[in-house]
Amino acid sequence: MHNIKDIRNDPKKFKDSLKKRFLDVDLENLLDLDQKNRKLIQEKEILEKEKKEISKTKNKDLFEKSKTISQKIETLEKDQKSTKNKLENILSSLPNIPNDDVPVGKDENSNLEISKNGAIPKFDFKPKSHFELGENLKMLDFELASKTTGSRFVFVKDKLALLERAISNFMLDVHINQNGYQEISPPLIVSESTMYGTGQLPKFENDQFEINFDEKEERKFLIPTAEVILTNMGKDKIFQLNELPLRLVASTPCFRKEAGSYGKDTKGMIRQHQFYKVELVSIVEPKNCLAELERMTNSATKILDLLKLPYRKIVLSSGDMGFSAEKTFDIEVWLPSENKYREISSCSSCGTFQARRMKSRYKNKNNETLFLGTLNGSGLAVGRTLIAILENYQQSDGSIIIPEVLKPYMNKLEKISKK
RNA sequence: GGAGAGAUGGCUGAGCGGUUGAAAGCACCGGUCUUGAAAACCGGCAAAGGGGCAACUCUUUCCUGGGUUCGAAUCCCAGUCUCUCCGCCA
């Protein structure tokens, strides 16, 4: 959510900033609504003051007048509220403004590679895809999932299920013990206002799983990422300075409809309706956002370093960034079967954009109440890490060597092979 | 699902028709003291919104939404949430 005052002060700058997102805002309308809103507030306040004074005098002769004033206030208030609503509806559907150092471009073609790490493995045979490997091992079962549930679901079985759990536990341990994050086991269901807070609603409703909970209550959704619930831990809260920075990590299932990706990645478990992800969230003073983004990204790449998986880091262009982000680094892992890098983590700073939506604030040194900065990043997507391990650690016989750091989590198992 | 109790500032907690935006304590910030810190003492400290270059000022807000009243944190109605007890249950 943008601050209307900033827009009012420098409308042109605001319009230009959103052009980087290839959006053309109707500023006229926005400013008109803002002006109308403020005018109505002023009129209302004059009457309110008058009414207040009458009641203070306790003069019975003026009581009738006070009644008529009340009626006028009521009409003004209705008008003002509806104007404010219109204004907020527009504001809440506008994305965050890209940071100055974000490359400007329409889509992923303008993303910039920043660094490459790790040696790409060489095979003296044609490397198989993760789904071939998994199905041959009889440890990935897509057919069964489509029978019980539908497309874009999978059964992970036996040693691969263990591997999936090992990956998740390993990541959690690194983030908790080495990177200074606090572990959270959060609700996987959130209310509508929580989804609004991080920006999933109102614009991206069609990618969310809404659940039928209780007609009378606020609408409820399955989380598309733990970012939603972790970031909202600061919802309607004013933090003391000594509570910051707050760094949180959770390993949770994520649920997405993947609307609009029909035909994309239909094979295998790259794109599923349900997947596990270890999520990092930081809540910080806004001035520390960009430094925290570097720190968070390093926390994520550390996992890949430890797993000895080759990856590259890229910075997303203005047109490719998510709705709430001001700057985003993607980390892409090497997938031998595709002969290219694929996204395994996305780390974003949202500045104060989300904090404004969920009223997440803190007291600074001067005791002023200000909006916080929020960041989120995958550390990492568990399903895709599983894929990357399968493909990068595969042997000619179809077995999978267990990465050194995961062995303690796998009962010292050395490799996964067909029974 | 049945029966009670409650919801007030960052937190704890008073107030129960008219200078109450709200006592007190804690936390926090500033100062005195101290080699430094702690303690002690002094001072400051709710939020949102409007007007103003600013000093400042005005309005709203005591869970939410209605109602009574000239006037509501305080009275009435509805709803939401939390807690306790009983039942059910992983």
Side-chain angles (χ1 to χ4, degrees):
Chain A
M1 181 80 98
H2 298 286
N3 187 353
I4 184 70
K5 282 184 194 164
D6 294 342
I7 301 174
R8 199 188 296 150
N9 287 340
D10 198 345
K12 192 179 174 312
K13 186 179 163 201
F14 180 72
K15 199 176 166 86
D16 289 347
S17 303
L18 279 182
K19 271 187 189 153
K20 291 188 194 170
R21 289 259 195 184
F22 302 90
L23 263 180
D24 197 22
V25 213
D26 185 354
L27 263 188
E28 290 274 317
N29 183 234
L30 202 61
L31 293 174
D32 277 354
L33 284 170
D34 175 45
Q35 200 164 32
K36 186 178 176 197
N37 179 237
R38 285 185 296 152
K39 200 188 106 214
L40 289 167
I41 288 173
Q42 284 173 43
E43 288 173 17
K44 189 178 75 156
E45 287 186 353
I46 289 168
L47 292 176
E48 276 167 347
K49 190 173 182 200
E50 198 178 338
K51 192 178 151 188
K52 208 174 181 177
E53 252 140 36
I54 290 176
S55 104
K56 262 190 196 159
T57 62
K58 299 183 198 172
N59 179 347
K60 281 183 183 150
D61 301 335
L62 294 170
F63 286 177
E64 270 311 305
K65 190 179 177 196
S66 179
K67 275 188 176 174
T68 56
I69 291 175
S70 293
Q71 284 164 4
K72 279 187 201 161
I73 290 177
E74 205 176 323
T75 344
L76 277 171
E77 197 167 62
K78 261 189 194 156
D79 201 4
Q80 191 265 119
K81 272 189 180 164
S82 101
T83 308
K84 194 171 177 211
N85 258 333
K86 280 182 204 159
L87 186 64
E88 291 203 326
N89 282 342
I90 297 174
L91 283 178
S92 67
S93 64
L94 296 174
N96 202 354
I97 285 170
N99 202 59
D100 284 340
D101 63 352
V102 167
V104 176
K106 237 187 164 54
D107 51 31
E108 68 270 16
N109 294 315
S110 307
N111 296 347
L112 287 183
E113 181 178 298
I114 293 187
S115 61
K116 269 186 187 159
N117 287 271
I120 289 174
K122 292 199 171 71
F123 297 96
D124 50 12
F125 58 94
K126 188 172 182 294
K128 293 190 172 66
S129 71
H130 71 278
F131 50 88
E132 279 179 276
L133 290 161
E135 285 180 327
N136 288 340
L137 288 166
K138 302 212 182 305
M139 296 181 196
L140 286 184
D141 199 333
F142 296 95
E143 259 179 60
L144 180 58
S146 79
K147 189 160 78 180
T148 60
T149 309
S151 66
R152 291 203 194 281
F153 289 91
V154 67
F155 277 85
V156 181
K157 299 199 256 186
D158 201 3
K159 292 292 180 282
L160 283 193
L162 174 61
L163 179 60
E164 184 179 51
R165 186 153 53 91
I167 290 168
S168 177
N169 286 339
F170 161 70
M171 290 177 184
L172 280 172
D173 283 348
V174 172
H175 293 310
I176 295 160
N177 300 321
Q178 299 179 39
N179 295 334
Y181 288 83
Q182 184 191 354
E183 181 172 7
I184 306 288
S185 174
L188 306 179
I189 294 173
V190 293
S191 60
E192 185 177 11
S193 63
T194 300
M195 292 284 269
Y196 175 86
T198 34
Q200 275 72 23
L201 293 181
K203 266 199 108 175
F204 306 98
E205 181 168 341
N206 59 1
D207 201 31
Q208 314 302 336
F209 282 107
E210 178 169 6
I211 60 170
N212 212 339
F213 201 81
D214 186 338
E215 296 255 322
K216 283 188 296 187
E217 282 191 50
E218 199 181 343
R219 298 169 70 195
K220 300 263 192 283
F221 297 83
L222 293 173
I223 54 169
T225 156
E227 168 204 343
V228 175
I229 186 80
L230 293 182
T231 310
N232 272 283
M233 284 172 72
K235 184 182 180 187
D236 291 320
K237 180 172 158 73
I238 300 178
F239 287 83
Q240 298 294 321
L241 206 47
N242 59 16
E243 295 176 86
L244 302 173
L246 186 60
R247 297 192 175 104
L248 308 165
V249 59
S251 176
T252 70
C254 304
F255 304 92
R256 298 181 184 179
K257 282 196 179 168
E258 295 296 343
S261 64
Y262 302 110
K264 226 193 248 177
D265 303 313
T266 47
K267 275 237 135 188
M269 57 184 293
I270 285 265
R271 195 174 298 275
Q272 302 268 288
H273 289 308
Q274 176 195 323
F275 58 95
Y276 286 94
K277 182 156 61 74
V278 171
E279 182 76 0
L280 306 171
V281 160
S282 295
I283 299 180
V284 303
E285 283 192 80
K287 64 173 180 240
N288 297 334
C289 273
L290 292 180
E292 184 71 15
L293 180 60
E294 298 291 334
R295 188 188 185 281
M296 178 178 273
T297 311
N298 288 338
S299 298
T301 52
K302 183 191 248 171
I303 300 287
L304 290 166
D305 289 331
L306 289 168
L307 288 171
K308 296 197 162 49
L309 289 169
Y311 65 92
R312 64 170 189 162
K313 178 177 161 187
I314 60 179
V315 59
L316 296 194
S317 73
S318 55
D320 201 26
M321 287 196 308
F323 181 76
S324 300
E326 63 172 1
K327 183 174 182 181
T328 299
F329 290 119
D330 268 14
I331 300 161
E332 299 181 334
V333 70
W334 180 256
L335 289 190
S337 75
E338 298 190 18
N339 205 38
K340 67 176 178 193
Y341 290 97
R342 292 298 303 259
E343 179 185 340
I344 197 166
S345 168
S346 187
C347 300
S348 301
S349 166
C350 299
T352 59
F353 186 84
Q354 292 179 324
R356 278 179 201 286
R357 292 179 152 246
M358 54 191 185
K359 300 191 170 46
S360 188
R361 292 162 293 176
Y362 76 108
K363 298 259 190 202
N364 73 359
K365 266 202 136 161
N366 304 323
N367 234 5
E368 296 162 313
T369 307
L370 302 169
F371 287 109
L372 282 158
T374 61
L375 298 97
N376 62 81
S378 3
L380 314 157
V382 175
R384 289 191 179 179
T385 306
L386 181 76
I387 291 173
I389 290 172
L390 287 178
E391 295 204 2
N392 284 281
Y393 281 85
Q394 64 178 296
Q395 306 298 302
S396 56
D397 64 356
S399 65
I400 314 295
I401 303 274
I402 307 295
E404 205 56 41
V405 290
L406 291 182
K407 283 180 187 165
Y409 295 87
M410 299 280 293
N411 307 319
K412 303 210 171 89
L413 190 68
E414 295 283 331
K415 81 176 174 181
I416 298 174
S417 33
K418 208 167 175 175
K419 275 187 187 157

